[in-house]
Amino acid sequence: MVEDANARAALTDASGRSSTTASNSAPLVLARSVAAQFPYATQLMKASFVLWSRGDFDVERCPVREILSHLGDKWTTLIVIALAEGPHRFNELRRALPDISNRMLTQTLRDLQRDGLLYRQVFPTKPPSVEYWLTPLGRSRLDPLAALVTWAQNTHADVKTARSKFDRSGSVIANVDS
């Protein structure tokens, strides 16, 4: 199997030592194991990454960075989840997400509307009321989001355990197999 220099570089710790040495090959072994379990998805992502990262790489044209920089944030994700069940008015969304500020909710809703992921309708009432709901493009995000939410629920305890273990060790790089 040919080693990819980019993958090897990604497995280098903060001191510049490669973590693919014989004494610490667990991350590389784990990465290969994951790639073997999901060969099509792994190859698709790798091929896409290679295309995006070629010599004339332009950060502004990278579809993953452009989309995920906005759609991957917690408020966008939680608002899309709330709107998945149907239209909501502003205050309904505010109650569904009690820890979001009015300003952040307003800005996130504007960004989602700008990206074509939700509709906004103003009703001519006193005071005016506004209702939001997902567009077909916004609804197309629900399946991948459901997979991410399921993964988060299934791995949350493992992530918390790994964080605690890492924090207790004071390491820059946690040992995968201990």
Side-chain angles (χ1 to χ4, degrees):
M1 175 183 279
V2 177
E3 294 284 332
D4 184 345
N6 291 335
R8 185 178 294 277
L11 293 171
T12 301
D13 70 16
S15 67
R17 295 183 312 244
S18 173
S19 63
T20 60
T21 60
S23 64
N24 193 11
S25 63
L28 185 58
V29 170
L30 180 62
R32 286 182 178 154
S33 171
V34 170
Q37 290 177 27
F38 305 100
Y40 176 74
T42 302
Q43 290 303 318
L44 180 63
M45 287 186 290
K46 184 173 180 174
S48 297
F49 182 78
V50 168
L51 288 174
W52 303 326
S53 61
R54 291 243 160 105
D56 60 345
F57 177 70
D58 180 3
V59 172
E60 298 299 317
R61 291 182 34 221
C62 178
V64 172
R65 290 173 196 240
E66 181 182 348
I67 299 298
L68 288 183
S69 69
H70 170 65
L71 295 180
D73 74 72
K74 74 175 177 179
W75 297 123
T76 298
T77 299
L78 293 172
I79 289 169
V80 168
I81 290 169
L83 291 172
E85 60 190 41
H88 281 68
R89 296 198 175 186
F90 184 89
N91 284 329
E92 291 174 324
L93 289 170
R94 181 77 172 93
R95 285 189 296 274
L97 306 167
D99 51 336
I100 191 171
S101 68
N102 282 341
R103 181 176 182 209
M104 182 56 70
L105 179 57
T106 299
Q107 184 61 51
T108 305
L109 289 168
R110 282 187 187 143
D111 290 343
L112 286 166
Q113 184 181 8
R114 179 176 179 251
D115 289 346
L117 298 176
L118 64 80
Y119 293 118
R120 176 181 185 266
Q121 182 176 3
V122 179
F123 294 95
T125 59
K126 297 266 185 200
S129 61
V130 180
E131 191 170 77
Y132 301 90
W133 67 97
L134 294 175
T135 65
L137 182 60
R139 295 197 76 70
S140 73
R141 185 165 184 253
L142 295 177
D143 283 340
L145 185 56
L148 180 61
V149 168
T150 299
W151 177 85
Q153 290 171 333
N154 291 341
T155 61
H156 185 249
D158 295 334
V159 170
K160 288 183 76 160
T161 300
R163 286 179 183 164
S164 293
K165 184 177 179 181
F166 181 89
D167 293 345
R168 282 192 314 272
S169 73
S171 299
V172 175
I173 303 256
N175 191 350
V176 174
D177 56 359
S178 63

